[in-house]
Amino acid sequence: MEEKVIDKLTKVFGPVKWFDQKIFEGIRNEGWFLLEITPLPPQSELKQVISDIMKGCPVDFANGKVRHYPGCGNPEHKITDNRVKAVLHQLLEQKYKVAVCTGTDRMLDGQPIVISLEPRITYSVYPYHPHLNMGGYIPELRKYLPDSFCYGYTVEPERYGPTEYDRFINLFDEVTLWLLRHQVWEAVRKQIGKGIWIGPREGVLPAWSYVNKLNPQGLCRCGNKKLYKDCHLILDLLPEVAHLAKRYKAPEKMILTNKIAGLNALWNKTVFLPESQMINTINETLI
């Protein structure tokens, strides 16, 4: 990436560092940004900002914070959802250390990849998160891609602009907004057991996609505080079990028992350890 673009991003956005690293070693000219973002607005603007996000009104950004946009078009700034209103006074400043890969043609259609390093935001930590891209092993790269942020670029790349500067300044702003929404979601989840993702675009993955990702001994993806193996795992496995039972002419109960035993044995080896090692590698490289 051109130095003048990096300098402009640093000057305009603020907490940005650039690393010309090849961690994933993709086809494209891979590089990494390291962002330190504290997204919470000043208390004097918090209600206005949250109301604007919930109504889909524009917000502003400055130095890694979400700010109120005076021309938002939302005159009353009411928050009608009492679950969200109840946690606003509990929100404290939280700094997020975020790594942004410029993207490779071999992962996520070349879009920039955003990974939270500190604190970690993955399905291992939040099995019921509504807005993550599910990671996994990439055979072409022989690398493990950790879970990453799911944001608008996935479906609206044209909205990010034609130049590298436009693309990344808009991305950084959207990541800042994503983190504020995550902070509200987490606060509501702690209060009532289930989070609320404020604003549009709440993502829902198909049930079967969780089977080889979530820890069978960990919390279930539905948020009811039961273990996954005692809750939705069996339901998530049913389509695969039915297919295997028909193919091998074996009892579904036997196949289900063997499948769960295999998942219990392999989860640390195939998911948790490689994901943790890759996040550690990224973290250690970008310091």
Side-chain angles (χ1 to χ4, degrees):
M1 182 173 291
E2 293 184 16
E3 188 173 339
K4 63 180 182 181
V5 175
I6 298 168
D7 290 343
K8 189 176 180 182
L9 287 168
T10 304
K11 182 178 180 181
V12 174
F13 185 77
V16 178
K17 294 180 181 179
W18 167 254
F19 295 84
D20 189 13
Q21 301 290 346
K22 308 294 181 187
I23 300 173
F24 286 136
E25 299 174 358
I27 294 174
R28 289 173 47 175
N29 184 24
E30 178 193 339
W32 290 77
F33 289 103
L34 182 64
L35 313 179
E36 290 191 353
I37 300 174
T38 308
L40 193 70
Q43 282 296 320
S44 60
E45 299 180 13
L46 180 58
K47 180 181 176 182
Q48 295 170 308
V49 167
I50 298 301
S51 175
D52 286 344
I53 295 170
M54 295 180 75
K55 288 183 177 292
C57 297
V59 293
D60 208 350
F61 302 91
N63 297 314
K65 284 187 178 295
V66 185
R67 302 296 303 268
H68 178 241
Y69 176 60
C72 66
N74 181 12
E76 296 184 339
H77 292 106
K78 289 184 178 180
I79 299 177
T80 57
D81 192 319
N82 290 328
R83 298 167 298 179
V84 174
K85 188 186 299 184
V87 303
L88 292 189
H89 71 282
Q90 302 173 15
L91 298 177
L92 302 174
E93 283 205 342
Q94 167 74 57
K95 181 180 287 186
Y96 295 89
K97 185 178 176 183
V98 176
V100 180
C101 177
T102 53
T104 85
D105 288 336
R106 299 186 184 187
M107 294 186 291
L108 298 179
D109 297 321
Q111 75 175 62
I113 298 165
V114 184
I115 299 167
S116 183
L117 302 178
E118 296 175 10
R120 296 190 177 180
I121 304 175
T122 67
Y123 281 117
S124 297
V125 181
Y126 301 104
Y128 27 82
H129 201 289
H131 230 68
L132 287 170
N133 289 316
M134 189 169 282
Y137 185 69
I138 311 297
E140 300 92 332
L141 301 179
R142 297 182 182 179
K143 302 282 187 180
Y144 195 99
L145 173 64
D147 299 334
S148 58
F149 294 7
C150 183
Y151 55 95
Y153 191 92
T154 309
V155 294
E156 299 177 290
E158 69 283 349
R159 182 164 62 84
Y160 287 72
T163 69
E164 277 198 313
Y165 170 76
D166 291 330
R167 181 186 185 211
F168 282 98
I169 195 66
N170 288 324
L171 168 65
F172 295 168
D173 287 346
E174 186 144 350
V175 167
T176 305
L177 178 58
W178 191 102
L179 287 167
L180 178 60
R181 295 164 76 181
H182 167 81
Q183 204 169 347
V184 173
W185 174 85
E186 186 173 21
V188 175
R189 181 184 66 88
K190 288 179 179 178
Q191 184 97 332
I192 65 173
K194 185 176 182 180
I196 296 173
W197 191 261
I198 60 173
R201 300 191 186 94
E202 179 165 341
V204 179
L205 289 172
W208 56 263
S209 63
Y210 292 98
V211 170
N212 294 310
K213 181 66 179 181
L214 297 187
N215 180 7
Q217 303 292 338
L219 292 177
C220 186
R221 61 179 178 79
C222 68
N224 68 4
K225 298 185 179 180
K226 291 183 179 180
L227 296 184
Y228 184 40
K229 70 180 182 66
D230 297 327
C231 195
H232 273 79
L233 176 57
I234 293 175
L235 291 174
D236 293 348
L237 279 170
L238 285 182
E240 181 182 359
V241 168
H243 170 74
L244 292 175
K246 184 177 180 180
R247 180 178 179 182
Y248 294 108
K249 298 179 180 179
E252 289 190 4
K253 186 175 181 180
M254 182 187 73
I255 292 176
L256 181 62
T257 300
N258 291 340
K259 182 69 177 179
I260 292 176
L263 291 172
N264 277 318
L266 289 175
W267 183 78
N268 270 296
K269 182 179 180 181
T270 60
V271 178
F272 181 73
L273 288 179
E275 179 170 78
S276 296
Q277 289 167 355
M278 194 64 199
I279 292 177
N280 287 340
T281 297
I282 296 169
N283 204 9
E284 291 166 2
T285 304
L286 306 185
I287 57 176

